[in-house]
Amino acid sequence: MIKEDFAFSYEVYDSIEELTAEDASLLSEARKVTKNAYAPYSHFRVGVTALLENGEIVKGTNQENASFPIGLCAERVMLAAAASMFPDVPIKTIAISYDNENGESTHPISPCGICRQSLLEYETKLKHPIRIILGGLQGKVYIIERAGMLLPLSFTANELNT
Ligand SMILES: [Zn+2]
């Protein structure tokens, strides 16, 4: 038996002011778009902005439903929009923010498991890493080099061809 390790590094910034102008703009837009979320049940509004390689910005917000399981996360709403509008254009960077009507928004949140899998599929499909900026409406900001780092030992299409 041998033990394997998995580790990854990410950048931590004290606030949006420390980011480059491009990254700060993307996070700022993610913060603003949280208002477009449809979250009457959780009151947890998530906003995502994606900067594509062609310079276009695509946005997404979470969309809930009275039939809870069919609700959609902001990340997957954004991915569906990007894939529909610009199917062959890689996503360069995404920013994720949130507005919690029941609490604070002072620390970064990370994509849920389903969205990690969806982001990885998009990276694989277009053979391009997706940088991720995570930040609340205030506080520290994390930057992750590529989405796949959030999903070690992931299941991919490669497994279907064995
Ligand atoms: Zn999700």
Side-chain angles (χ1 to χ4, degrees):
M1 189 277 279
I2 58 167
K3 263 193 175 174
E4 300 282 353
D5 291 318
F6 174 81
F8 82 99
S9 303
Y10 57 100
E11 299 168 359
V12 179
Y13 298 84
D14 280 338
S15 75
I16 194 172
E17 280 78 34
E18 291 185 4
L19 303 183
T20 64
E22 184 176 277
D23 287 348
S25 171
L26 206 57
L27 179 56
S28 177
E29 289 301 311
R31 288 173 170 176
K32 284 182 199 159
V33 80
T34 58
K35 72 179 188 312
N36 293 348
Y38 177 65
Y41 308 105
S42 72
H43 305 286
F44 194 86
R45 300 171 170 274
V46 181
V48 179
T49 48
L51 172 63
L52 276 53
E53 279 292 332
N54 63 0
E56 295 281 350
I57 302 280
V58 176
K59 300 178 183 179
T61 57
N62 55 323
Q63 301 293 316
E64 296 180 353
N65 193 285
S67 174
F68 286 9
I70 69 169
L72 289 167
C73 297
E75 294 91 331
R76 281 176 293 132
V77 169
M78 176 280 295
L79 285 175
S84 301
M85 297 167 69
F86 306 101
D88 302 319
V89 182
I91 294 172
K92 194 171 158 189
T93 305
I94 68 172
I96 304 172
S97 191
Y98 66 102
D99 185 3
N100 183 4
E101 292 174 28
N102 295 321
E104 297 183 328
S105 176
T106 55
H107 64 275
I109 58 163
S110 214
C112 78
I114 293 176
C115 289
R116 292 176 191 214
Q117 185 77 32
S118 293
L119 288 163
L120 175 65
E121 183 88 12
Y122 212 89
E123 279 190 333
T124 307
K125 183 174 73 167
L126 294 184
K127 300 179 176 56
H128 192 283
I130 299 175
R131 273 176 84 238
I132 304 180
I133 302 169
L134 304 173
L137 297 180
Q138 302 156 12
K140 288 189 189 305
V141 177
Y142 298 166
I143 296 185
I144 297 164
E145 192 179 311
R146 59 183 176 84
M149 295 173 93
L150 290 174
L151 203 61
L153 299 178
S154 54
F155 180 82
T156 68
N158 293 335
E159 316 300 339
L160 302 178
N161 298 328
T162 54

